[in-house]
Amino acid sequence: MTKLSVNINKVATIRNARGGNLPDVVRFASDCERFGAQGITVHPRPDQRHIRYSDVRQLKPVITTEFNIEGNPVPSFVELVSEVLPTQVTLVPDTDNVLTSNAGWDTVKHFHFLKDIVAQFHSLGIRVSIFIDPVPALIENAKLTGTDRVELYTEAYAARYAANREAAIATYVEAANVAHSLDLGLNAGHDLNLHNLSYFKQRIPFLDEVSIGHALISDALYLGIEDTIHQYLSCLDEKPRY
């Protein structure tokens, strides 16, 4: 089974545009679970321009599925994750000034740093995933850090999908097979949507989890969040669970 984890950052972006608590991100997360999502993802950045650290603390006791916190393991992030103790932490090498995540880890250059961070989170019982480009050598080095999973950065796949989906998926299939052969769990995320998700899952059937936010929340503006989640689950060959 491939789990759908809904990234609710964009819901917080809408709230923050006007202040107050509308929409309520905690209620939204609970509703996503009620409509069939098997996980909730948040990406609290140091500038807290969407999900705030306080949101993360309020979400933890409410979420009944899997809670995935992603971000760059700067000291404040490590402290937050260590306090909240989510199901999974996804390490993403984004800097303060990026609009959205735009690259995976260089697991060779940052090997010792990643190994230490993985060990620190493992000591707290937290599953660790490393955000990574679909490069076999980087995945092989990720394995050496002790991480449980890797999350394939799928922007390149999404960008090339319309022109030639076979070419777009090729490097991802190779990378996924390498991860699978190393007994690494496999996640994916970034720019996956209702148009390209089914084919991705079809070609990589052992995918553990997809984390989708921007496209899913955008679709919900037209379809409503309940129907949107059902359609994404259908792309993953999963039926809604209530």
Side-chain angles (χ1 to χ4, degrees):
M1 183 181 87
T2 301
K3 292 183 177 180
L4 171 66
S5 187
V6 176
N7 185 317
I8 62 172
N9 275 24
K10 286 298 184 293
V11 179
T13 301
I14 297 171
R15 177 200 61 190
N16 295 352
R18 286 286 295 270
N21 195 39
L22 185 68
D24 183 333
V25 297
V26 175
R27 177 180 174 182
F28 191 87
S30 294
D31 286 340
C32 287
E33 291 183 312
R34 184 162 57 90
F35 297 143
Q38 296 116 336
I40 299 295
T41 291
V42 294
H43 188 146
R45 288 185 166 88
D47 62 10
Q48 301 191 57
R49 64 179 183 264
H50 32 61
I51 284 291
R52 302 166 181 155
Y53 281 27
S54 58
D55 293 325
V56 178
R57 294 185 176 97
Q58 291 169 22
L59 283 162
K60 175 60 191 301
V62 174
I63 292 173
T64 60
T65 58
E66 292 198 351
F67 193 18
N68 173 46
I69 304 178
E70 60 182 28
N72 193 336
V74 297
S76 60
F77 179 87
V78 173
E79 182 179 346
L80 177 69
V81 172
S82 299
E83 173 192 343
V84 172
L85 301 177
T87 314
Q88 176 177 267
V89 59
T90 300
L91 308 179
V92 183
D94 54 3
T95 55
D96 291 350
N97 61 347
V98 298
L99 185 62
T100 186
S101 304
N102 56 15
W105 284 98
D106 182 337
T107 56
V108 177
K109 180 179 180 180
H110 300 287
F111 172 75
H112 293 291
F113 173 73
L114 290 169
K115 185 176 181 180
D116 289 345
I117 289 292
V118 168
Q120 183 172 345
F121 287 137
H122 275 173
S123 71
L124 298 171
I126 303 170
R127 187 174 73 223
V128 181
S129 179
I130 293 177
F131 192 65
I132 200 165
D133 293 302
V135 179
L138 296 180
I139 293 171
E140 290 167 355
N141 231 56
K143 172 68 176 181
L144 299 178
T145 68
T147 191
D148 305 286
R149 297 184 180 184
V150 291
E151 178 175 326
L152 297 180
Y153 171 42
T154 49
E155 189 275 336
Y157 164 74
R160 300 173 62 194
Y161 177 84
N164 187 331
R165 68 180 189 175
E166 290 82 5
I169 197 71
T171 56
Y172 289 88
V173 172
E174 179 184 9
N177 286 333
V178 170
H180 197 53
S181 72
L182 294 172
D183 199 29
L184 279 172
L186 189 67
N187 298 342
H190 206 93
D191 288 351
L192 295 173
N193 57 43
L194 289 175
H195 301 292
N196 60 40
L197 181 58
S198 290
Y199 184 68
F200 195 87
K201 170 61 188 296
Q202 175 189 331
R203 295 297 306 274
I204 306 174
F206 46 81
L207 191 62
D208 289 302
E209 174 189 294
V210 292
S211 174
I212 304 177
H214 183 79
L216 191 151
I217 301 304
S218 298
D219 290 330
L221 295 176
Y222 292 92
L223 304 172
I225 188 59
E226 181 174 6
D227 188 31
T228 298
I229 288 175
H230 293 177
Q231 290 200 34
Y232 275 89
L233 289 171
S234 180
C235 289
L236 297 170
D237 297 322
E238 295 296 334
K239 295 180 180 179
R241 289 173 172 80
Y242 293 97

